[in-house]
Amino acid sequence: MRLAADLRAFAARIGHDFRRPELLARAVTHSSLATPVRPDNQRLEFLGDRVLGLVMAEALLAADKGASEGQLAPRFNALVRKETCAAVARDLGLGEVLKLGRSEMMSGGRRKEALLADAMEAVIAAVYLDAGFEAARAVVLALWGGRVGSVEADARDAKTALQEWAQGRGLPPPAYTEMGREGPDHQPLFTVEVRLSSGEAEVAQAGAKRQAEQAAARALLARMEAGNG
């Protein structure tokens, strides 16, 4: 099999020359375009998630030999979560080479965070099956770049951190309210408010509800910890 020009350019961007190019073709094929002779990337996604996890676990242990499991776990979660995988995919232009069915394409599938994250994991699996773990590790570490070294020492997600802050002061968990949703289905904009029982609140917007909640929690936590609440 010979890759199309767009996939050859993509393979060059990830820095891997595929001996079995059909693996990359499968990694970028969404279930909306799958047929009995054109398998989708779901099984590769499953494998790639595990390969990514092992690479990140090894990298974090090597980067901070004195860190406890309690310190490493949130850093690990920050590096392997869907948002991070999608960000790496966007940096690579992965959305441009996704093979999508018409309905998924019309609904903005090339920009959807979940599709990008899943395909990124599938690409990692394709490299692993093509050339083994060392090759996959090299690709992952190159693509994740400075993210491993710059991941926050305390990388708990903002919602967890805010809830722990509140509970530490005898307050119930923060309440999140979706204040609005604008834009078309393929490019929504969510507005979310987070509020403490003591009255302090922050509002944030993002293209996904979870991201808006995280942004609002991050803003409120920063304000409370600064003593300006």
Side-chain angles (χ1 to χ4, degrees), residues 29-47:
T29 300
H30 185 256
S31 58
S32 61
L33 196 65
T35 69
V37 295
R38 186 204 292 262
D40 63 36
N41 63 8
Q42 291 180 340
R43 287 173 62 87
L44 288 179
E45 173 209 338
F46 173 82
L47 176 60

Side-chain angles (χ1 to χ4, degrees), residues 189-205:
L189 182 65
F190 292 87
T191 301
V192 170
E193 178 194 74
V194 58
R195 181 175 294 273
L196 295 170
S197 63
S198 51
E200 297 86 353
E202 286 285 349
V203 174
Q205 291 184 319

Side-chain angles (χ1 to χ4, degrees), residues 143-229:
L143 297 183
W144 261 246
R147 287 179 172 88
V148 176
S150 63
V151 68
E152 298 177 14
D154 180 3
R156 291 169 302 170
D157 67 88
K159 290 181 65 176
T160 299
L162 180 61
Q163 179 169 325
E164 292 178 356
W165 184 93
Q167 290 176 336
R169 288 155 181 80
L171 300 174
Y176 294 85
T177 304
E178 182 179 324
M179 308 296 288
R181 174 177 172 168
E182 308 168 23
D185 288 343
H186 68 276
Q187 201 168 10
L189 182 65
F190 292 87
T191 301
V192 170
E193 178 194 74
V194 58
R195 181 175 294 273
L196 295 170
S197 63
S198 51
E200 297 86 353
E202 286 285 349
V203 174
Q205 291 184 319
K209 185 176 179 181
R210 183 176 183 276
Q211 290 178 334
E213 290 175 344
Q214 291 284 350
R218 191 175 300 110
L220 182 53
L221 180 62
R223 179 154 67 89
M224 301 307 293
E225 288 185 331
N228 297 323

Side-chain angles (χ1 to χ4, degrees), residues 75-132:
R75 300 178 200 175
F76 174 84
N77 291 335
L79 290 168
V80 303
R81 61 192 175 200
K82 293 295 186 183
E83 292 89 343
T84 304
C85 291
V88 174
R90 281 190 289 269
D91 290 345
L92 286 168
L94 177 52
E96 300 166 12
V97 300
L98 286 179
K99 308 305 179 186
L100 306 172
R102 177 175 173 79
S103 61
E104 194 62 62
M105 192 180 304
M106 296 297 291
S107 67
R110 296 189 189 282
R111 296 184 297 276
K112 290 182 179 177
E113 187 161 88
L115 264 68
L116 289 171
D118 291 348
M120 190 68 248
E121 292 172 343
V123 167
I124 292 169
V127 175
Y128 170 77
L129 292 174
D130 187 64

